[in-house]
Amino acid sequence: MSEELQNEIEAINSIYDAQTIQHVVDTRSCGEYSLRIQQVEVTLRLSIPHQYPESCLQVTAVQSVGSASKKGLGNHVLETARDLLRRVFTPGQVCLFDLLQELEQSLSQVSPTSGEEHVEGSEHSNGEFENKIRNAEEVGDDLAPPRWVLSAAVTEKKSGFIARACTIKSTKDAQSAIAHLLATDKRTSKATHNISAYRIRSLIKGKEMVFQDCDDDEEDAAGGRLLKLLQMMDVWNVLVVVSRWYGGVKLGSARFGIINAVAREAIVAGRFTKS
């Protein structure tokens, strides 16, 4: 297994769970892996060449389906995954996370046990945090400082990482919390990247509304992965910010595993999860 593939699998399993991608067996030309799509209770078999990501992986078969799954679901997921792989793969770039995310989105309206569509209320995304306030004077004197819960600091190849999480009730709370952090914490404001994500669930005129957003802050694709972690942990009304200080050595996809590990630590430390 190449270092790139190992880092990608570790990052994905840190976001979802340790059983999402599992190594099965190696052959002379490739490695065989299982990919579990939890939302539809289907596990696919992947064949990943040793030259990956220069060479494309293959989605070869359905390994298993849930006992209560409707007829034909496994084949539908298999064909959908194959079609999406043609879109997301670019030689030289890892694509497993993109494949999994695109697959989940394509299957989001599919119920694993019936032909009915699965819809969960109204959801809104506000795009990236375009209105981040970096000037302390713009934050407002009457704004109470967020009660951040911090993870332990992690250093990997001279890059430093730390996560913090706080409770929010609105998108304005999220923007204000980030603005306050950047305006009052000099070290954080000088971080190479401040990756952020939030999810909010509230009742508006008797109707449940969901708001969620993320920001890479130029750490390509990190915000989406952080938001996915919040979704997998079923966390609501919480903002998470992960700061990274680049140390001069590229970490590849391993950085995503670290980002999500410190974020998970802050979320658990703040008791923002249900359990």
Side-chain angles (χ1 to χ4, degrees):
M1 183 189 304
S2 69
E3 184 177 358
E4 284 182 294
L5 177 57
Q6 182 177 352
N7 290 339
E8 186 179 22
I9 291 174
E10 287 178 357
I12 290 171
N13 286 348
S14 73
I15 296 172
Y16 292 85
D17 63 55
Q19 306 300 316
T20 302
I21 298 182
Q22 291 291 296
H23 177 251
V24 179
V25 67
D26 277 325
T27 67
R28 177 178 292 183
S29 60
C30 66
E32 297 290 327
Y33 296 82
S34 63
L35 171 64
R36 186 178 65 168
I37 301 94
Q38 187 173 359
Q39 74 187 80
V40 290
E41 300 178 10
V42 172
T43 300
L44 301 176
R45 181 63 72 93
L46 307 179
S47 179
I48 305 180
H50 298 317
Q51 294 80 19
Y52 174 84
E54 296 300 330
S55 299
C56 187
L57 61 94
Q58 293 183 334
V59 186
T60 57
V62 177
Q63 178 170 300
S64 65
V65 296
S67 58
S69 296
K70 63 182 181 181
K71 185 177 180 180
L73 176 63
N75 286 333
H76 172 66
V77 174
L78 176 64
E79 293 305 317
T80 301
R82 286 171 171 171
D83 288 341
L84 290 172
L85 181 58
R86 298 186 189 101
R87 294 189 221 166
V88 302
F89 176 71
T90 300
Q93 298 182 17
V94 294
C95 69
L96 277 172
F97 181 82
D98 292 334
L99 173 62
L100 184 54
Q101 197 166 40
E102 291 288 335
L103 188 55
E104 285 191 323
Q105 185 173 349
S106 294
L107 299 173
S108 62
Q109 301 302 314
V110 176
S111 168
T113 56
S114 72
E116 298 177 356
E117 288 190 345
H118 181 59
V119 181
E120 292 189 2
S122 299
E123 184 169 305
H124 299 267
S125 176
N126 301 312
E128 291 192 352
F129 290 133
E130 296 177 355
N131 297 319
K132 279 197 250 183
I133 309 167
R134 295 179 178 270
N135 189 322
E137 295 179 358
E138 297 180 63
V139 174
D141 296 333
D142 58 343
L143 179 64
R147 295 185 177 181
W148 296 107
V149 177
L150 276 66
S151 72
V154 172
T155 302
E156 179 68 23
K157 295 180 180 178
K158 299 183 180 180
S159 281
F161 299 82
I162 193 167
R164 65 196 77 217
C166 71
T167 300
I168 56 173
K169 295 181 180 180
S170 66
T171 57
K172 184 178 179 181
D173 284 352
Q175 293 171 345
S176 296
I178 292 177
H180 189 279
L181 174 64
L182 297 177
T184 59
D185 189 316
K186 290 184 178 180
R187 184 168 185 268
T188 300
S189 68
K190 293 179 180 179
T192 313
H193 311 286
N194 284 301
I195 305 120
S196 53
Y198 69 77
R199 299 181 81 208
I200 301 167
R201 182 166 57 190
S202 60
L203 285 175
I204 299 178
K205 296 181 179 180
K207 184 178 180 181
E208 183 179 85
M209 303 294 287
V210 172
F211 299 89
Q212 59 182 21
D213 201 359
C214 61
D215 180 22
D216 295 336
D217 197 23
E218 299 185 0
E219 179 70 285
D220 190 34
R225 285 164 165 78
L226 187 57
L227 178 58
K228 188 65 184 181
L229 176 69
L230 300 187
Q231 294 168 345
M232 295 302 298
M233 294 183 73
D234 196 23
V235 172
W236 292 100
N237 299 328
V238 171
L239 166 68
V240 179
V241 180
V242 179
S243 302
R244 179 191 180 185
W245 293 265
Y246 181 59
V249 179
K250 291 184 178 180
L251 300 181
S253 55
R255 67 193 190 277
F256 299 126
I258 299 171
I259 289 167
N260 282 279
V262 295
R264 182 186 294 272
E265 181 181 331
I267 292 167
V268 172
R271 299 183 178 180
F272 297 122
T273 56
K274 290 182 178 180
S275 57

